[in-house]
Amino acid sequence: RIGNDKIAIPPFATVTIKESELSSTGFYVQMNSTTAFKYNLKQDQAITLSSEAGSCKALVNIAETVMDDVVAILTGFGHTAWDDFSKSKGDNAYKLLKVENEQATDVPVWNRTRVSIA
């Protein structure tokens, strides 16, 4: 629906992108009101997320479907090539991801990437 780091946003899929995922000024990350309050963030506020791997810019969407101290981020935006449906839509969340091996299984995981919010 949104593509990934190797595939553009499929034609006509842009109509499935919600207003809580992408706007004309950027793409949204989701966090609950407790996390937003902890970092003094408001709905639609522009932020920068940073990790050991890199950083990306986003907007805040407060959604109670996300656990405390978690920032949920969609992958598939931030393309710099392809067509008008894909190019220049949000930022690339893959820049944040740090792959580590899970201790118990030695399987590579990326879903525990820690970010700071500015």
Side-chain angles (χ1 to χ4, degrees):
R1 167 174 89 87
I2 300 176
N4 60 39
D5 62 334
K6 308 244 184 309
I7 299 171
I9 296 172
F12 308 111
T14 53
V15 297
T16 68
I17 298 171
K18 301 173 189 172
E19 290 179 2
S20 61
E21 297 171 339
L22 181 69
S23 78
S24 62
T25 57
F27 82 124
Y28 285 92
V29 296
Q30 319 294 319
M31 65 183 70
N32 68 27
S33 58
T34 302
T35 304
F37 180 78
K38 181 177 179 179
Y39 291 95
N40 197 29
L41 301 173
K42 306 287 185 229
Q43 178 71 29
D44 300 319
Q45 183 174 341
I47 60 172
T48 300
L49 298 172
S50 300
S51 73
E52 290 180 26
S55 65
C56 75
K57 297 187 181 306
L59 301 169
V60 172
N61 183 51
I62 298 173
E64 299 308 323
T65 56
V66 182
M67 296 185 309
D68 288 354
D69 295 322
V70 170
V71 177
I73 185 169
L74 286 171
T75 58
F77 291 122
H79 294 288
T80 58
W82 292 305
D83 55 25
D84 290 338
F85 299 106
S86 301
K87 189 170 40 176
S88 303
K89 303 286 191 280
D91 204 344
N92 186 351
Y94 286 100
K95 296 188 297 185
L96 295 170
L97 300 181
K98 181 179 177 210
V99 178
E100 297 176 336
N101 288 347
E102 187 178 51
Q103 191 173 19
T105 64
D106 204 34
V107 172
V109 295
W110 51 264
N111 60 345
R112 295 187 186 121
T113 301
R114 294 195 175 277
V115 295
S116 60
I117 302 171

